Amino acid sequence: MVEQAVVEHTTAGVTAGRQGGVERSDAEPVNKKEKRSLYQKRIKIYPKLAKGAFRRWKWVIMAVTLGIYYLTPWIRWDRGPNAPDQAVLIDFPARRFYFFFIEIWPQEVYYITGLLILAAIGLFLITSLAGRVWCGYTCPQTVWTDLFIAVEHAIQGDRAARIRLDKAPWGVEKVLRKVGTQVAWVVIAVCTGGAWVFYFADAPTLAADLLAFQAAPVAYITIGVLTFTTYLLGGFAREQVCTYMCPWPRIQGGLLDEESLVITYNEDRGEPRGARKKGDHPSALGDCVACNQCVAVCPMGIDIRDGQQLECITCGLCIDACNSVMDKVGLPRNLIEYSTLANVERVRAGEKPRLRLIRPRTIVYSGLIAVVGAIMLFTLVTRADLDLNILRDRNPLFVALSDGSIRNGYTVKIINKQHQERVFGLELVGLPGAVLTVVGAGADPGALAVGPDSLASFRVFATAPRDSVTDGAVDVTFRIVDQAGGAASNDTVFRGPED
């Protein structure tokens, strides 16, 4: 049995100790509200590497999210001979957004709006259920900061080693470790910016052009900007982004309620805090052994024992740290756990805790997601692969010809969303005796060719006898029909002199 007395040692300014096999940390919550000042220089946080279920989940989610981001532009998707084969592509020159089997045209930007609405409501739902799990696991700032910290840990060592390295005088080892860390960060940042531009052009082609310095200047500028921001935010700003730059910590307060899962310190069980050895649990003390390991592993630099805080990103690393300590001293796990404020009150009242996932706000959020998703799915499934737009000339409104007939000019735009050429016949409905003429050599209203996956514009004149136009205007309909039976129409008016 290890003696209860704490044996402390100081190494390069780092104070540590062990008691009953439990390592004690001198980590302080530098982001504690009482200690934080808007005009104070940032105090660097040295998060310790946690081990446990939540840390493993963060590794898995980091690998999945980074894999999706870096590899998606290289996935191929066969759309036929006349379309790009990149699965996900934002093609600005062609004004298209490709997502596997879905192709979005500029006229269908409402799909993007729908996706943003779904994302927002989904985030509201997740937050109302499980707090800031988005921030703790999948937010890009969290993912890249975790990656940068992992690199820093691999090159410079764990918390104590990094603190010693920063306090040590400059020498060969310090230079190599510091420079190596910065180089690795820059490589990650360049890869981040490089992966982003691949979403806007054919990835293999653009990669070859970038390496040959033949890519467009905007590609290099974009990579440079994203490299700088990734390097700055992931390497240096870190928790400052979440605390000062991101609005989400402040918004989430209106989305949480007493039944939302949050990281909770069981104060009734843990207090009063005090040191003890394994197997010795004085009745005057709570289960918290005051080891400070929950503070040491926190990437936000807070102490969860201070209660709910804006800075907490609900990553669960403090739970891993605390559970490992509880195992060592032979006490029950989950002194720090995912729980609800309502359950805290239930336990204090001697009631059994329960999880209420179905609540009015979660029902509303789920219903909105279902409605918006159903609308988007219906419009996507039923959307036509053919569209017709008519723009009528406004100057002049009409022209009176020498034979007394009236002529109106129109711009007819035909959108062919199929990946093959189509030939259309154009007709005007609602104006007896009208004749259509298409401007251009060899243009025939009965055989207008439109290329695959493209838009074609035609200049069209409609001429009608004077007695067909009454009251200055006639409602008419332009209609197109292709040889395969596809059809589309668009209503407009035919103008003439008022009697």
Side-chain angles (χ1 to χ4, degrees), residues 50-56 264-266 269-270 281 287-288 316-339:
K51 296 179 180 180
F54 292 102
R55 178 65 266 180
R56 288 192 296 271
T264 305
Y265 167 63
N266 293 311
R269 174 187 155 191
H281 308 303
D287 285 355
C288 180
L317 297 181
C318 53
I319 299 178
D320 284 339
C322 187
N323 282 344
S324 66
V325 172
M326 293 296 102
D327 291 343
K328 291 179 180 178
V329 297
L331 290 172
R333 287 184 149 215
N334 297 326
L335 177 60
I336 301 174
E337 64 176 342
Y338 270 102
S339 186

Side-chain angles (χ1 to χ4, degrees), residues 421-425 446-448 480-487:
E421 184 180 65
R422 302 167 75 179
V423 178
F424 299 93
L448 301 179
I480 56 172
V481 179
D482 72 350
Q483 297 174 346

Side-chain angles (χ1 to χ4, degrees), residues 141-304:
Q141 173 65 17
T142 297
V143 171
W144 264 272
T145 297
D146 262 2
L147 180 60
F148 275 45
I149 292 176
V151 170
E152 190 177 44
H153 178 272
I155 297 177
Q156 299 183 18
D158 204 359
R159 181 178 187 274
R162 296 200 301 273
I163 295 177
R164 288 196 299 270
L165 186 66
D166 281 355
K167 291 181 176 292
W170 285 96
V172 175
E173 180 183 4
K174 183 171 182 176
V175 169
L176 290 177
R177 292 185 181 276
K178 288 290 185 179
V179 172
T181 302
Q182 302 301 316
V183 170
W185 285 356
V186 170
V187 170
I188 294 172
V190 171
C191 291
T192 301
W196 179 253
V197 298
F198 291 149
Y199 285 88
F200 297 86
D202 182 68
T205 303
L206 179 58
D209 291 342
L210 288 170
L211 293 176
F213 297 99
Q214 296 177 350
V218 67
Y220 295 104
I221 294 173
T222 302
I223 293 174
V225 170
L226 290 179
T227 296
F228 173 74
T229 54
T230 303
Y231 176 74
L232 176 65
L233 300 183
F236 300 96
R238 293 185 178 177
E239 77 287 345
Q240 302 288 86
V241 175
C242 306
T243 304
Y244 299 108
M245 296 174 61
C246 181
W248 186 239
R250 288 137 182 101
I251 296 174
Q252 71 154 352
L255 302 175
L256 295 172
D257 58 31
E258 66 279 0
E259 297 289 352
S260 301
L261 281 170
V262 291
I263 303 294
T264 305
Y265 167 63
N266 293 311
E267 184 177 354
D268 291 347
R269 174 187 155 191
E271 301 296 325
R273 308 169 196 173
R276 81 288 308 278
K277 59 186 178 179
K278 185 174 183 178
D280 181 19
H281 308 303
S283 59
L285 296 178
D287 285 355
C288 180
V289 299
C291 63
N292 255 22
Q293 292 301 316
C294 56
V295 180
V297 300
C298 180
M300 296 300 296
I302 63 173
D303 188 341
I304 193 61

